[in-house]
Amino acid sequence: MSAPAVLPKGLTRTVLRLHRTALIVWAAFVLGSVGYLVCLTEVTADSAYATLDACPRGGGCGLGAAYTYSTAMGWVSTFMYYSFWIVAAWAGGALVGRELESGTARLAWSQGVSPARWLTAKLALPALALLLAGAVFVPVYRWAWSAHRDLMGDDWSFADVFAARGPAVVAYGLCALAVGTLAALLLRRSLPALAVAVTVMIVLNRYVERYREDFWPTAGNGEASADLWQTRSGGYHPPSHFWPLHLVETGIVLTVTALATTAAFWVLRRRTA
């Protein structure tokens, strides 16, 4: 039995060197978002509470401070929700497509690097960056989102909040990376591949969001409240349904990821046979 293939260290270093600027920008964006969450939770929230305490009873002078805090927290989750898969679609569609378009991919293949190893290296680096970003962002966001619920105007059923509080946000990024790579291999052009990848992800995301509430049986009817997610059928999801719903969605997106990745390697093998 032959030994398993190992990525050449030179190829890994080359990929890292080529994409170091993008990785630095992505790391700065994620760490900046995490730092902003900490600042909101530890500094801005205290300021909002101080403003509320200084208001006369029944007055509305503190509502602006609470609104500012809630809005800022909401924008962080929205930006991160979409950035994960938009950045990943760019990594797969534009970066892989650019090398196919310019011919540098064939140059690498002529230097003793097989097409499969080349594609593995191209996928491994951005996939690792997405996983590390999720490992940092998701726990901090879960802590920040839960810290001062009395100042927040959203709930756990909001689309961006739902995804950002668990691994689904990373799954969307990995899916976009796989779809972008497949589009690049099929089209061999960077910008068309990027456009196709973003379009596919928008359609997938909207479809999943529409039917998200149906991924787990409801708990029956009940009195509407901020903690209960009322579905179109009239049923309700309590907060305890978050993880079942979230993990089912994550599994769906990762299944699409696996199919797109398999298809990408199949297309590469067919075109380089």
Side-chain angles (χ1 to χ4, degrees):
M1 181 179 294
S2 59
V6 179
L7 284 178
K9 293 182 179 179
L11 177 59
T12 303
R13 286 196 299 266
T14 299
V15 173
L16 182 60
R17 185 170 63 252
L18 285 173
H19 306 318
R20 63 180 180 273
T21 301
L23 289 172
I24 291 172
V25 172
W26 174 241
F29 176 73
V30 173
L31 293 177
S33 299
V34 168
Y36 188 49
L37 285 173
V38 174
C39 181
L40 283 173
T41 305
E42 297 297 329
V43 178
T44 307
D46 290 342
S47 177
Y49 283 126
T51 303
L52 288 169
D53 292 340
C55 287
R57 184 175 297 275
C61 57
L63 295 180
Y67 177 78
T68 300
Y69 173 84
S70 178
T71 301
M73 188 71 70
W75 276 116
V76 173
S77 61
T78 300
F79 276 127
M80 292 303 295
Y81 180 32
Y82 294 109
S83 294
F84 261 88
W85 57 265
I86 291 175
V87 169
W90 172 79
L95 297 182
V96 173
R98 184 176 61 186
E99 294 209 14
L100 292 171
E101 189 176 357
S102 63
T104 55
R106 290 194 174 275
L107 177 62
W109 302 339
S110 67
Q111 302 299 314
V113 177
S114 69
R117 288 187 176 187
W118 172 84
L119 183 57
T120 300
K122 283 292 181 181
L123 290 175
L125 187 62
L128 179 61
L130 291 170
L131 290 171
L132 291 176
V136 173
F137 173 77
V138 172
V140 175
Y141 179 73
R142 288 182 59 84
W143 162 74
W145 185 83
S146 303
H148 305 292
R149 293 303 305 152
D150 52 338
L151 295 177
M152 297 290 289
D154 59 8
D155 59 66
W156 65 277
S157 66
F158 279 36
D160 51 350
V161 173
F162 183 89
R165 291 179 65 225
V169 67
V170 180
Y172 275 109
L174 295 175
C175 186
L177 176 64
V179 171
T181 300
L182 176 59
L185 290 168
L186 290 172
L187 301 176
R188 296 174 179 255
R189 302 289 298 274
S190 56
L191 291 180
L194 175 60
V196 168
V198 171
T199 301
V200 170
M201 290 307 301
I202 289 174
V203 173
L204 174 64
N205 179 250
R206 292 294 177 265
Y207 180 85
V208 172
E209 282 187 359
R210 175 175 175 79
Y211 294 101
R212 175 180 286 164
E213 63 185 35
D214 301 324
F215 292 161
W216 198 257
T218 60
N221 298 325
E223 184 178 354
S225 70
D227 291 333
L228 294 179
W229 177 0
Q230 184 176 9
T231 65
R232 294 185 302 272
S233 63
Y236 291 87
H237 286 299
S240 60
H241 283 192
F242 168 77
W243 280 114
L245 289 163
H246 191 96
L247 293 178
V248 169
E249 179 169 337
T250 302
I252 292 172
V253 177
L254 289 179
T255 299
V256 177
T257 304
L259 293 174
T261 302
T262 302
F265 277 94
W266 181 84
V267 169
L268 181 65
R269 185 175 67 252
R270 293 278 295 181
R271 296 220 167 156
T272 58

